[in-house]
Amino acid sequence: MTIDTPRLEIRLLSAEQLSLWLGDLPRLEQELNGTYQAEPLTGMFRTIVEGQLAAVTADPANPQWHSFWFILHKTDRNVIGSAVFKDGPDSGGRVEIGYGLGRGFEGHGYMTEAVEALCGWALRQPGIRRVTAETDADGIASQRLLQRCGFRELSRGETVWWIR
C-alpha cells in the first residue's frame, strides 16, 4: 500500500520487509530501490520495531495498523523517515500515530506532509474517527508539527497527548 504526496512516497512495509529492516537492510534497500537515511535502528527504536513486527505477525489481516510506513523522498529515493499506527482502532475509533525523521531532513516540512497524508488516509478508513499522538513535554518541534496537521492538545503531564 502506498500514499503519494507531492514530494513523498509513503509506503507500508510488509511483514517480510519489516523483518528485512531488522536483519538485512541492504536487501531491503535493494527491494525498495532506495537508500535508508532515516533515524538509526538502534536502542529503544529497534525494540519498538521488533514489537510492531510481532503485532503484524499476530494480526496479518491488518498490517496498516501495526507495520511501519517508510517515507521516501521521490526525487532521490532516500528513505528519510518512518511512521506507524501503534495499534488498531480502540473502542472509540481512535488510532495513535508515531513518527520519526532522519536528522538531515528536519526543517523542510517533510514530516508535516507525511503526517497530514497518513492522518487523512486513516480518517477515511471504516471505523476510524480520530487520530491521537503523544509527544514529550519539551518536544516543541513535534508539537508544532501536530498543530500544523490540525491536532489539538488533549492533556499535558510528563508527556502531551494530542487529538485530531
Side-chain angles (χ1 to χ4, degrees):
M1 181 178 315
T2 302
I3 300 169
D4 283 307
T5 71
R7 300 181 295 169
L8 306 172
E9 175 186 313
I10 306 166
R11 187 168 183 178
L12 180 65
L13 298 181
S14 67
E16 295 79 18
Q17 289 169 326
L18 265 181
S19 186
L20 286 175
W21 187 18
L22 289 163
D24 192 350
L25 183 57
R27 191 163 145 217
L28 179 58
E29 288 176 321
Q30 183 178 21
E31 187 173 311
L32 297 174
N33 188 30
T35 304
Y36 186 84
Q37 295 187 9
E39 57 189 316
L41 189 58
T42 59
M44 179 55 90
F45 185 47
R46 182 177 188 83
T47 302
I48 291 167
V49 174
E50 290 168 346
Q52 293 306 120
L53 175 58
V56 170
T57 303
D59 186 14
N62 294 293
Q64 70 277 19
W65 305 126
H66 307 295
S67 189
F68 274 79
W69 299 73
F70 268 5
I71 302 165
L72 290 98
H73 191 259
K74 284 182 177 179
T75 57
D76 57 19
R77 300 294 300 166
N78 285 325
V79 177
I80 62 173
S82 63
V84 66
F85 293 102
K86 297 181 179 181
D87 200 0
D90 67 12
S91 61
R94 292 175 297 226
V95 291
E96 181 184 352
I97 192 169
Y99 47 85
L101 191 65
R103 290 217 182 268
F105 303 98
E106 294 173 350
H108 300 283
Y110 295 127
M111 191 53 76
T112 299
E113 189 173 326
V115 169
E116 183 65 35
L118 283 162
C119 288
W121 173 87
L123 291 167
R124 290 189 301 273
Q125 304 311 301
I128 304 301
R129 298 172 46 112
R130 300 292 220 171
V131 179
T132 64
E134 179 183 27
T135 63
D136 291 332
D138 61 354
I140 302 303
S142 191
Q143 293 172 21
R144 287 185 180 142
L145 179 152
L146 291 171
Q147 289 170 337
R148 283 190 300 273
C149 292
F151 283 76
R152 64 177 171 77
E153 187 175 316
L154 188 60
S155 67
R156 183 176 289 266
E158 288 184 28
T159 62
V160 183
W161 281 94
W162 300 83
I163 193 162
R164 174 177 167 176

